[in-house]
Amino acid sequence: MPRQSGYTLIELIMVIVLLSIVATVSVRFVGLSTQGALDTSARQLRALQSVVISEQLTRDLREAFPLSIRSTGSCIEWLPMEAGTNYLNPPATEVNQIEIAEFAQSPAFNNKRVVIYGYGTSTGDVYTGANPGPVSSAVSGINNTASSGLPATISLSANHRFDTTSPAQRLFLVGEPVSICQSGRFLYRYSGYAPTSIQPDPPAVTPEVLAASVTGTVNFRFQPASLQRAAVVQFTFDLVSADGSETTTVSQEVQIRNVP
């Protein structure tokens, strides 16, 4: 009778054990690789969010009238500059019309006010529009076309006296205030509300969501202009992952162009 070859029970058990070890290591390797890919994707997403948020904040702040910026730490407010031009005759007395050089493009004038210079006044004065003061009453109309020897003009809703003149005879149109404020894990943008002498924190209007994964405390800092540099806004905040295990810190400085 020929001899038959085969596997012993011990050999089968050893093969099963070895295959189990290989399967366990393989599953663990695949699991770690998958988790690593998911973590990397989440970090990239937070990095992209931080870039988008920082860019929007930077673009908004670069449009700010520099003397209007004020901050409470977790909330920053400013008046956006809508347009600028030169006035032709210094308004030395109360006026309801200002002669100007034509705007490159005629701006909308609803809820706009005229600012001339304003250095040396408090930030609150820029918001309240005291008379006399650097900020006019509301603009009621703009004639942006010079004709028959008559210049373009800006009409005001009430007489106003500007307390200073600009060395470069510059004037600017500013719009309604804009605020960025933190509330819990959200960063909100507020607009379309009336200016007040004291900064609201936050304004009493319905906001837009700017960011929804903020952790900790957002910090806005404003450094006024000096003879050596322009004004600077610094902001820092952290974005947290969905499971709360990782954070991405965002820190940026925005230079605010000063205007005479």
Side-chain angles (χ1 to χ4, degrees):
M1 183 175 180
R3 184 180 178 182
Q4 295 181 349
S5 61
Y7 298 102
T8 65
L9 180 60
I10 294 177
E11 290 173 332
L12 288 173
I13 292 174
M14 290 179 64
V15 170
I16 293 173
V17 171
L18 291 173
L19 289 176
S20 299
I21 294 172
V22 171
T24 301
V25 172
S26 300
V27 170
R28 182 63 176 167
F29 176 76
V30 172
L32 290 175
S33 299
T34 303
Q35 186 61 47
L38 292 175
D39 290 343
T40 300
S41 177
R43 294 187 192 104
Q44 291 175 339
L45 179 59
R46 289 198 306 277
L48 178 60
Q49 289 175 336
S50 69
V51 170
V52 172
I53 296 168
S54 297
E55 183 65 19
Q56 182 168 350
L57 280 170
T58 299
R59 291 188 179 188
D60 273 349
L61 286 166
R62 282 179 177 165
E63 295 177 354
F65 183 67
L67 301 180
S68 69
I69 298 174
R70 53 187 182 180
S71 172
T72 61
S74 62
C75 193
I76 188 168
E77 184 182 35
W78 68 90
L79 296 174
M81 285 194 297
E82 304 290 346
T85 187
N86 293 90
Y87 58 84
L88 302 182
N89 297 313
T93 59
E94 284 200 346
V95 294
N96 60 11
Q97 193 174 77
I98 306 171
E99 297 180 353
I100 61 170
E102 296 180 26
F103 290 102
Q105 183 176 357
S106 184
F109 58 85
N110 294 334
N111 301 317
K112 305 295 187 298
R113 295 179 296 164
V114 174
V115 180
I116 293 181
Y117 201 61
Y119 288 85
T121 61
S122 69
T123 302
D125 291 340
V126 177
Y127 282 84
T128 56
N131 189 14
V135 184
S136 74
S137 55
V139 175
S140 60
I142 296 177
N143 175 17
N144 198 42
T145 303
S147 61
S148 303
L150 298 177
T153 57
I154 296 177
S155 299
L156 306 178
S157 59
N159 287 349
H160 184 82
R161 178 175 180 176
F162 295 94
D163 54 357
T164 55
T165 58
S166 165
Q169 293 195 195
R170 294 286 291 169
L171 66 76
F172 298 91
L173 290 183
V174 296
E176 294 177 313
V178 175
S179 289
I180 303 291
C181 301
Q182 180 191 14
S183 179
R185 58 187 290 266
F186 292 95
L187 199 60
Y188 291 109
R189 184 182 190 275
Y190 299 81
S191 60
Y193 60 94
T196 56
S197 58
I198 299 176
Q199 181 181 357
D201 187 6
V205 293
T206 302
E208 304 170 0
V209 176
L210 189 62
S213 55
V214 177
T215 184
T217 302
V218 177
N219 188 17
F220 292 103
R221 299 184 301 277
F222 174 61
Q223 297 181 4
S226 67
L227 295 177
Q228 289 76 33
R229 57 161 178 80
V232 175
V233 172
Q234 300 171 314
F235 57 86
T236 304
F237 59 90
D238 294 320
L239 298 178
V240 65
S241 60
D243 60 4
S245 61
E246 290 186 344
T247 60
T248 299
T249 300
V250 181
S251 182
Q252 187 159 327
E253 291 186 351
V254 183
Q255 189 178 69
I256 309 300
R257 293 169 295 181
N258 298 306
V259 290

